[in-house]
Amino acid sequence: MNNQFRAYNQRQYRPFMTYIFLGINVAVYVFMLLKYNTTTDIMALLEMGANFSPAVIIFNEWWRLLTAAFIHIGFSHILMNGISLYFLGMDLEKIHGHGKFALIYLISAIGGNLFSFAFNVNVSAGASTAIFGMFASYLVLAYLNPDSPIFKQRASTFTVLLVLNFLNGLFTSGIDNWGHLGGAIFGALITFAVGFGSKRTLTKTNRLLAILAMLVIALILVFIGRNRILS
């Protein structure tokens, strides 16, 4: 098993990036309640920075691709995402380390919102883009470390959760499946780029290809979203 992962298991580890991301999400939610007395009103969500393709293109508000990941629509939304972020983050930050975990979280969030920008016509928000990226990170870690029973077990569990959540999104209104799919794809690719594995499964070429794939996909999504809005 990777020496980095073994070292983390041998000492107490404080996943402070998980606490920071969770704290930002809760703080934004409370701020919305205090300012607007609601977290579900469309105008309030837009003012706070929710993802909305026309606003991104027409007003050049590309920052929405990031800010949307820290905004939640209703109490159940932040409760479920907060619980998922806490438990996944506690474990995944311990595995990757603070910096790489933060990168996986943020790239997954932006990548998921890019997919939503390109294909979703509605206002969208929530940390689930990043959470799906964290799910996918475990799958990649299992592939890169085939001799690890820990990663195999977690990958099996999270594969089931990914499939069930995607199916739920297909049959439930108001769920941004495009954002979830994009988060998972970018979460997998960024893990290839910054994760760890054996020399047999992870090479410099694989890392460079993963980075290139993210850039190409991002450019294609921007092109699709821009043409959809301006056409």
Side-chain angles (χ1 to χ4, degrees):
M1 187 179 295
N2 182 270
N3 290 333
Q4 178 191 36
F5 186 44
R6 187 186 298 113
Y8 289 149
N9 276 331
Q10 290 175 348
R11 70 178 189 272
Q12 187 178 13
Y13 190 76
R14 298 184 183 278
F16 64 81
M17 289 307 306
T18 297
Y19 299 149
I20 289 173
F21 289 138
L22 184 59
I24 294 173
N25 280 292
V26 172
V28 170
Y29 182 82
V30 172
F31 178 82
M32 283 191 70
L33 282 178
L34 294 175
K35 183 174 182 179
Y36 302 105
N37 199 35
T38 179
T39 61
T40 59
D41 179 73
I42 295 298
M43 292 308 299
L45 291 166
L46 288 174
E47 286 185 21
M48 287 297 297
N51 193 14
F52 187 49
S53 301
V56 172
I57 291 298
I58 296 171
F59 301 111
N60 213 29
E61 295 175 345
W62 293 94
W63 43 267
R64 291 181 180 273
L65 299 178
L66 177 60
T67 57
F70 297 96
I71 300 168
H72 289 83
I73 308 171
F75 179 73
S76 61
H77 193 203
I78 191 171
L79 177 63
M80 297 307 298
N81 279 351
I83 292 172
S84 298
L85 168 55
Y86 178 78
F87 286 105
L88 287 172
M90 289 273 287
D91 189 51
L92 203 59
E93 186 174 352
K94 184 177 181 181
I95 293 169
H96 284 293
H98 306 304
K100 290 181 179 180
F101 167 74
L103 192 61
I104 290 169
Y105 186 91
L106 294 173
I107 293 297
S108 299
I110 294 171
N113 283 322
L114 268 172
F115 264 81
S116 184
F117 158 79
F119 301 112
N120 184 22
V121 298
N122 301 314
V123 174
S124 63
S128 52
T129 49
I131 289 167
F132 271 71
M134 289 192 285
F135 282 144
S137 184
Y138 280 105
L139 274 59
V140 173
L141 285 173
Y143 170 78
L144 295 177
N145 301 273
D147 298 326
S148 170
I150 296 175
F151 289 146
K152 282 184 179 180
Q153 187 275 328
R154 291 174 184 170
S156 297
T157 300
F158 293 133
T159 297
V160 173
L161 288 175
L162 276 171
V163 172
L164 289 176
N165 275 282
F166 280 129
L167 290 175
N168 180 55
L170 290 175
F171 299 104
T172 305
S173 61
I175 293 180
D176 184 7
N177 247 10
W178 284 113
H180 293 171
L181 176 63
I185 290 173
F186 274 80
L189 289 172
I190 190 60
T191 302
F192 263 108
V194 305
F196 57 85
S198 66
K199 293 181 180 179
R200 175 169 53 89
T201 58
L202 186 60
T203 64
K204 289 183 178 180
T205 300
N206 288 342
R207 293 184 190 275
L208 290 174
L209 286 174
I211 294 172
L212 180 62
M214 284 189 287
L215 293 174
V216 170
I217 293 171
L219 289 173
I220 292 172
L221 292 172
V222 169
F223 177 80
I224 292 172
R226 184 177 183 277
N227 281 4
R228 179 171 63 86
I229 298 303
L230 297 181
S231 62

